[in-house]
């Protein structure tokens, strides 16, 4: 249906903007019209990592743990 296609396009756009770092996960979820938790869980469907850390950030996190 047209409504279903519209929701799919909005989700895909939100995921891409999130992946590019143009939107936070909360803003992307609002664009997609879903709760943030749902948006984050759907990222894997698009092959996008939920958490993105640089090597330096990962090393810092490892030292803290």
């Amino acid at each position: 249906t047209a409504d279903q296609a519209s929701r799919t396009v909005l989700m895909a756009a939100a995921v891409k903007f999130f992946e590019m770092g143009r939107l936070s996960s909360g803003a992307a979820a609002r664009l997609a019209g879903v709760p943030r938790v749902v948006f984050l869980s759907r990222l894997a469907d698009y092959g996008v990592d939920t958490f993105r850390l640089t090597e330096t950030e990962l090393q810092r996190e490892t030292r803290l743990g």
Side-chain angles (χ1 to χ4, degrees):
T1 67
D3 186 51
Q4 194 173 25
S6 177
R7 286 193 308 260
T8 300
V9 168
L10 284 174
M11 177 61 79
V15 168
K16 190 61 179 179
F17 283 132
F18 173 76
E19 182 181 33
M20 293 170 36
R22 301 285 306 271
L23 289 178
S24 67
S25 60
R30 285 190 296 279
L31 174 62
V34 297
R36 183 172 173 264
V37 180
V38 171
F39 176 77
L40 291 172
S41 69
R42 298 280 312 277
L43 287 174
D45 296 342
Y46 292 85
V48 175
D49 292 329
T50 304
F51 301 102
R52 294 167 287 171
L53 297 175
T54 65
E55 186 175 342
T56 302
E57 291 169 331
L58 181 59
Q59 288 174 353
R60 183 179 30 190
E61 293 292 324
T62 303
R63 282 195 311 268
L64 294 175

